[in-house]
Amino acid sequence: MPETVFDNIDPAMMERIKKLRLIDDELMTVVFSGDKKVTELLIRILLNRNDLRVTKSMTQEQKHNLFGHSVTLDIVAEDIFKTEYNIEIQRADKGAVARRIRYHQAMIDSHTLKKQEDFDKLPNLYIIFILEHDMFEMGEPVYFVNKTLNAIDEEGNNLLFDDGCNIMYVNGEYKGDDSLGKLMHDFSTPDADEMYYTELAERVRFYKQNETGVKMASKIVEEYGNDRAAEAFKQGAEQQAIETATRLLKKNVPVDDIAEYTGLTVEKILELKNQCE
C-alpha cells in the first residue's frame, strides 16, 4: 500500500488535530482563510441577515504600527456595500476587554482611510468577538455595545452616537434552537459529523480527514505551537528581568545601571520603583 501523509504525521499531532474545534485559532484560521462563502455564512448568522455578499475574506491579517503595538486580526472581511468586518475568536475572556476593541478599531481605521480622504469616507465596521464563555454572565446570546448621547429624543430615548463602528460580543455558551445556537454548537464540537451547517462540516472534515487538508492543518498547528513557545519564553524572560530589577532597586542600585543590566526600559524600572515605595 502506498505511503500517505497520515503515515508521516506524528501521532500526537494527529490527535491534536482531531480535537481541534472552530473556537480554536488553529482550525478557525484554516477553515475561514480565503473562503468567502463560509465567511459569508458566518456573518449572515451573526447579524441575522440574508442580504450580505462577502467579496473579500482572509485570516490572521496583520496591521502594522511603526510607532507602537501591531495587531493580528483573526478574520477580516468586506461585503458588497464596502462594510468591513473583524471577527475575533476568543477563548479567554481577558482577551476581549473593551480597550482591545478600541485599539482594533483604531488600527483598522488607520489602515482604511487614504491620504486626503474625508472622514465620512470611513466605511461601516463591525467588530465581533465570539467568546467561548458567557463573559458577562447574563445569559444573552449576543451583547451589543450601544453608543448614545445624554440627550433625549421626542420618544424619550437617548440619541444615538453613530460613528459607524458596531461592536458585538457573542456568547459561545448559547445553544438555543435557532441559527445562532446551532452555529455556537458547531464552533464547540470537534466532530464534523455532529455539525448542523454542511458548509462548516465539509471544511472541518477536509482539514481532519483529507490528506492535503491534514498536511495544511498540521503546519498551522506547528506554527502556533512555535509562536506560543516563543511568547512563553519572552514572558518568562521579562518576568525574570522584573524580579531582578526589583531586587536591585531594594539595594539602591541606580536606575540607569539596572536598565543596562536587565534590558528593561528606564520607564519600566521607575514604575517598579514606585511600586516598591
Side-chain angles (χ1 to χ4, degrees):
M1 180 180 295
E3 188 177 73
T4 70
V5 67
F6 299 101
D7 299 316
N8 296 320
I9 292 181
D10 180 10
M13 172 67 75
M14 197 65 219
E15 189 63 26
R16 170 63 178 152
I17 292 173
K18 288 180 181 179
K19 292 180 179 179
L20 286 176
R21 305 164 299 159
L22 286 173
I23 200 70
D24 296 308
D25 282 340
E26 298 96 324
L27 187 59
M28 175 279 300
T29 294
V30 291
V31 165
F32 289 98
S33 179
D35 194 313
K36 292 185 287 187
K37 286 301 180 183
V38 174
T39 304
E40 183 176 285
L41 171 71
L42 175 64
I43 296 174
R44 282 186 170 194
I45 296 172
L46 293 175
L47 299 187
N48 194 24
R49 290 177 58 180
N50 292 321
D51 61 332
L52 291 172
R53 294 288 186 275
V54 168
T55 57
K56 297 179 183 178
S57 175
M58 62 188 71
T59 57
Q60 301 303 319
E61 181 179 15
Q62 295 185 343
K63 298 292 185 182
H64 296 286
N65 182 356
L66 295 177
F67 306 102
H69 189 80
S70 298
V71 296
T72 301
L73 308 179
D74 282 350
I75 301 174
V76 177
E78 183 180 294
D79 67 20
I80 58 174
F81 306 109
K82 299 300 181 182
T83 298
E84 296 191 352
Y85 302 89
N86 168 215
I87 303 171
E88 295 293 313
I89 314 299
Q90 193 65 48
R91 295 187 60 185
D93 292 349
K94 65 180 182 179
V97 294
R99 290 176 186 265
R100 179 181 177 184
I101 292 180
R102 169 184 164 187
Y103 198 76
H104 272 217
Q105 179 182 350
M107 290 296 290
I108 293 170
D109 286 346
S110 67
H111 285 74
T112 300
L113 201 63
K114 297 179 182 179
K115 290 183 178 180
Q116 309 304 320
E117 275 192 321
D118 293 334
F119 293 113
D120 60 6
K121 296 296 183 181
L122 275 174
N124 289 327
L125 170 65
Y126 282 85
I127 298 179
I128 305 172
F129 272 69
I130 299 177
L131 307 174
E132 183 173 19
H133 305 292
D134 185 354
M135 177 177 174
F136 302 102
E137 300 182 344
M138 300 293 289
E140 295 292 332
V142 180
Y143 299 92
F144 298 93
V145 176
N146 297 314
K147 304 174 187 178
T148 62
L149 301 173
N150 62 343
I152 307 297
D153 62 19
E154 295 178 354
E155 298 179 355
N157 301 313
N158 288 83
L159 294 175
L160 292 176
F161 179 77
D162 185 10
D163 62 356
C165 181
N166 307 276
I167 300 170
M168 300 164 49
Y169 290 93
V170 181
N171 176 8
E173 293 184 18
Y174 177 69
K175 299 298 187 295
D177 188 23
D178 57 10
S179 58
L180 181 62
K182 292 175 181 178
L183 178 68
M184 291 302 96
H185 168 273
D186 287 0
F187 264 75
S188 302
T189 179
D191 189 350
D193 294 334
E194 294 181 355
M195 291 184 169
Y196 287 101
Y197 291 101
T198 303
E199 300 92 333
L200 293 176
E202 288 178 349
R203 293 285 287 172
V204 170
R205 197 173 286 113
F206 172 75
Y207 288 107
K208 292 193 175 195
Q209 300 177 16
N210 180 277
E211 285 191 35
T212 302
V214 169
K215 189 174 182 179
M216 295 168 66
S218 63
K219 181 179 180 180
I220 194 72
V221 168
E222 185 176 359
E223 289 175 353
Y224 267 78
N226 292 338
D227 289 344
R228 287 171 181 150
E231 182 63 24
F233 178 81
K234 178 181 176 182
Q235 291 178 356
E238 182 178 11
Q239 183 59 36
Q240 185 176 14
I242 289 173
E243 293 173 358
T244 300
T246 301
R247 290 196 298 270
L248 294 175
L249 282 169
K250 291 178 179 179
K251 295 181 179 181
N252 296 318
V253 176
V255 170
D256 289 340
D257 291 345
I258 297 175
E260 182 177 356
Y261 180 74
T262 63
L264 297 173
T265 64
V266 171
E267 290 77 12
K268 180 63 178 179
I269 296 170
L270 289 174
E271 179 185 331
L272 293 173
K273 185 177 181 180
N274 291 333
Q275 294 174 0
C276 292
E277 293 177 348

